[in-house]
Amino acid sequence: MPHTGLLRHDQTLFRDPDVFEPTYLPEHLHHRDAQVQEIAFLLQPALRGGSALSAVLRGLPGTGKTTTVRRVFAAITEETRRVAPVYVNCRHDHSALAVYRSIFRQVCGYPAGRHLDEIKQGIAARLRDRDAALVVCLDDADELIVAGIYNTILYQILRLYEKWDVRKAGVFAVTSDLARNLYAEADASVRSVFHPAEVNFPPYTRAEIREILADRVRQGLYPRVLPPPLLDRIAVIAAGEQDVRVGIDLVRAAVLRAEKDGRRRVTHADVTAAARTVMAPGLNSRIAALSAGERTLLSWIAERSSEGGDMASGAVFEAAQGYLAVGKTTYHEHLKRLAEAGFLDLVPRTGRGREVRLRYDATEVAAACRSPDRTPKTPDRV
Ligand SMILES: Nc1ncnc2c1ncn2[C@@H]1O[C@H](COP(=O)(O)OP(=O)(O)OP(=O)(O)O)[C@@H](O)[C@H]1O
């Protein structure tokens, strides 16, 4: 791509647009060595010809659970046929038939028929032929709980060996809901065969997110399209959201905006506008879900924060007295709820008390509090 003048309509800033797609599997997995090792360790017995082990994988959205499992599964598939790793997205496949059809397609290599028993029989026959142990990753397994089939699916997969004379299967149940205990959700008959190890995926730090994004930018964009300070800014926003996916979406949206205007470089304004479209819908609907009291307090905190006021929790309470009719207990309950809902952090201070720190741009929050059902208006800055 030439580097002078405006972009022609047939030119693009994307060297490889696929790397910004949700289904893209990155070549290099950053900062997940410990988790890769734990999963590889759990697969060892099956690789040596024994039973597969199970695990529960936990971590907030965008902490790399899916990517890590898919990377390890891809490596196994290249290496051996003694383990049959299968990935099921339970958001898409949340009926028993859909789950088994997905398993069948991946184990057998062609689409399944319509009858559940025949599908299970087909899976078992292929596993026996290959002398392979089945390992099923149930991503977003919570969806199976909601659909009321979590226990049935686990029970049937984990006891497949009894009925069909195959090696014992393993299940990797994945959740991004940290309040959910996928082991406790299993009933007694399942727990007698489900002894999952727990693999945790902590949120990435800002520096880690920046590194992941820098890698993606190097692969997906032409040089100099995204200036480093803007990449820093995007990493800060994504780290605030504790979700690398937000960063990837922001890069793509900002570059598309520059491309649409025929420019060769992303600007601050592009990132601001991208942040509005990528994050505002979520912010608005979450603010709309707050109680009136919580929303009023959040709006007050946003205004105080944008004016540069003292954000010590006690100072915020004192200052709010002339404005909000809340007692201390209610104030602390509201604060706790706002922190749990991810709008702010309560950061311990040296000395006493805690500091109230907004996770979002204060102007965005104040605007969204005023009209939670509409996209907030923000000045053109990042
Ligand atoms: N360590 C990493 N290295 C490179 N890319 C990563 C890494 N972790 C996450 N990503 C990228 O971030 C995005 C989100 O990752 P992923 O889907 O694996 O997260 P998740 O924890 O499964 O999220 P969810 O719970 O919402 O399904 C993907 O585009 C993925 O490629």
Side-chain angles (χ1 to χ4, degrees):
M1 188 182 65
H3 289 292
T4 52
L6 282 174
L7 204 62
R8 286 202 321 260
H9 74 279
D10 59 343
Q11 289 181 318
T12 175
L13 302 176
F14 291 95
R15 194 208 298 265
D16 180 359
D18 289 349
V19 309
F20 298 100
E21 289 297 322
T23 49
Y24 176 74
L25 189 56
E27 278 303 314
H28 187 72
L29 192 61
H30 297 272
H31 309 293
R32 285 299 178 229
D33 292 353
Q35 289 76 5
V36 167
Q37 269 173 25
E38 284 182 68
I39 294 173
F41 175 77
L42 292 167
L43 291 167
Q44 278 303 320
L47 288 167
R48 288 199 289 261
S51 304
L53 299 175
S54 293
V56 166
L57 277 55
R58 304 171 71 242
L60 290 170
T63 49
K65 302 178 296 297
T66 307
T67 310
T68 304
V69 170
R70 287 179 61 211
R71 265 263 73 95
V72 176
F73 279 10
I76 294 181
T77 311
E78 271 174 28
E79 205 180 287
T80 177
R81 288 176 55 79
R82 300 206 75 189
V83 176
V86 164
Y87 171 83
V88 180
N89 181 341
C90 301
R91 266 180 209 269
H92 298 154
D93 298 327
H94 46 72
S95 70
L97 185 62
V99 169
Y100 280 109
R101 284 176 70 114
S102 174
I103 297 174
F104 183 99
R105 194 173 16 80
Q106 294 174 68
V107 170
C108 300
Y110 56 93
R114 295 186 166 278
H115 300 290
L116 201 48
D117 270 343
E118 283 173 21
I119 295 172
K120 288 184 199 164
Q121 217 168 323
I123 295 168
R126 180 54 69 97
L127 292 173
R128 257 196 319 272
D129 287 352
R130 277 171 59 174
D131 184 27
L134 179 67
V135 180
V136 181
C137 171
L138 297 173
D139 202 356
D140 285 315
D142 321 55
E143 297 292 330
L144 302 184
I145 298 173
V146 176
I149 57 167
Y150 178 67
N151 275 293
T152 315
I153 294 280
L154 248 61
Y155 184 90
Q156 291 177 348
I157 294 176
L158 293 167
R159 289 183 176 262
L160 209 63
Y161 70 102
E162 291 177 340
K163 190 166 176 194
W164 302 106
D165 186 28
V166 289
R167 282 204 270 146
K168 191 161 174 278
V171 169
F172 290 175
V174 182
T175 181
S176 53
D177 179 355
L178 299 187
R180 178 85 79 181
N181 181 339
L182 287 177
Y183 176 64
E185 297 280 353
D187 63 28
S189 59
V190 172
R191 275 193 245 159
S192 70
V193 280
F194 185 47
H195 311 292
E198 189 167 297
V199 184
N200 286 303
F201 289 73
Y204 296 113
T205 63
R206 189 181 60 184
E208 289 170 347
I209 289 183
R210 194 191 187 284
E211 209 178 314
I212 292 169
L213 293 178
D215 205 22
R216 208 58 70 99
V217 164
R218 247 189 321 273
Q219 287 179 66
L221 303 180
Y222 285 105
R224 292 180 290 279
V225 166
L226 185 68
L230 293 184
L231 180 59
D232 292 341
R233 179 63 190 143
I234 290 174
V236 169
I237 298 174
E241 294 293 302
Q242 300 194 322
D243 189 342
V244 114
R245 192 181 287 122
V246 167
I248 295 171
D249 290 347
L250 276 178
V251 172
R252 188 208 339 235
V255 175
L256 281 173
R257 193 174 184 271
E259 203 175 71
K260 191 162 147 263
D261 288 355
R263 286 178 279 110
R264 296 176 183 280
R265 297 241 196 302
V266 171
T267 61
H268 274 260
D270 292 327
V271 177
T272 305
R276 213 178 290 157
T277 51
V278 169
M279 294 165 55
L283 190 62
N284 277 18
S285 60
R286 284 163 56 206
I287 286 178
L290 295 173
S291 72
E294 289 158 359
R295 196 156 57 233
T296 311
L297 179 60
L298 181 62
S299 167
W300 162 252
I301 288 172
E303 275 170 33
R304 185 171 172 81
S305 160
S306 64
E307 287 160 6
D310 180 1
M311 295 309 288
S313 158
V316 173
F317 175 70
E318 297 294 330
Q321 282 311 287
Y323 177 79
L324 304 171
V326 286
K328 209 161 195 165
T329 312
T330 312
Y331 167 72
H332 283 293
E333 278 170 8
H334 284 352
L335 260 197
K336 185 162 167 262
R337 165 87 184 96
L338 292 173
E340 282 168 359
F343 292 107
L344 45 88
D345 292 307
L346 299 172
V347 186
R349 282 192 151 189
T350 37
R352 281 187 69 234
R354 291 178 299 175
E355 179 176 324
V356 179
R357 206 175 283 167
L358 264 187
R359 282 210 185 154
Y360 298 90
D361 180 276
T363 322
E364 294 256 350
V365 174
C369 285
R370 280 196 295 277
S371 53
D373 51 346
R374 279 182 297 150
T375 303
K377 301 261 182 296
T378 49
D380 223 8
R381 66 177 170 75
V382 189

